[in-house]
Amino acid sequence: MTGRLAGLTAVVTASAQGIGRASVLAMAREGAKVMATDIDADKLEPLSAVEGVTLRQLDVLDAQAIAEFAAQVPAPDILFNCAGYVHNGTVLACDEAAFDFSIGLNVRAMYRMIRAFLPGMLDRSGGSIINMASVASSVIGAPNRFIYGTTKAAVIGLTKSVAVDYVTKGIRANAICPGTVDSPSLHERMRAQGDYETARAAFISRQPMGRLGTPEEVAELVVYLASPETAFMTGNAIVLDGGWTNA
Ligand code: NAD
């Protein structure tokens, strides 16, 4: 197999749809052996036909499942922590249960995945960890994204901390901060607002380019951060947001 990731292995969380799925496909196309994981085994199944991809059901909220997984497979060269959940609401609309759920899925799951696989990466003196943040984080405040933005800011801090602690050990850690990306859960969020077309127009209007991002565009950044081309990059929070924050 040739490609920018030839000879490398990857583990991806939340691979069954959206950015995670597009990233599995892009990394496999570039020659990586990819273990695609998701809580939903049925939704993962179509990826079984893709060369270089193996599947594993994994709920990243389940600490024991993560530990068992890490005990069964060698640490990958690339760990893409993609799982995350968008809670809609202000601080007053975020009760304790919603707060805990988002911290658990958006932050603690990454902490657990990194603790599970980093020792093996250190044994090999190599690894690229890619964590899914968002521009709705420490980059910018977005309306009704209180706990989402809080957790995604934590992802950036977590990423920088891992990057600095292991910078001399061959480990890189970078975070990705997309604007609004056209994924299945985005459509659910649009439908949940009642008037789908109005919600869609509102999401698009905050993107100065006048369109949503695509999962494939984000996947290209995942490949880039995974590849040896970015061997000198670590501790970054990279924005790709159609100009939302900078144009
Ligand atoms: P999505 O939300 O459409 O899909 C999420 C996937 O996560 C699903 O396949 C689901 O089965 C899986 N999942 C849910 N709970 C899980 C769990 N406990 N364990 C394992 N898998 C679980 O995908 P998306 O919109 O592409 O979002 C992916 C990531 O990108 C998230 O972290 C999200 O916050 C981030 N992000 C998305 C956007 C966007 O606009 N779509 C923008 C910025 C950042």
Side-chain angles (χ1 to χ4, degrees), residues 13-20 37-40 43 58-62 81-86 101 105-106 110 132-135 148 152 176-186 188-189 206 215:
T13 68
S15 305
Q17 64 182 38
I19 296 166
T37 76
D38 197 283
I39 193 172
D40 190 330
K43 260 197 294 178
L58 180 69
D59 175 359
V60 292
L61 290 172
D62 183 340
N81 286 312
C82 185
Y85 172 72
V86 182
F101 181 79
L105 185 52
N106 297 5
M110 286 188 190
M132 179 52 80
S134 168
V135 285
Y148 184 72
K152 293 300 189 181
I176 295 182
C177 303
T180 307
V181 178
D182 197 347
S183 72
S185 70
L186 176 69
E188 280 168 29
R189 290 192 286 284
R206 68 187 188 184

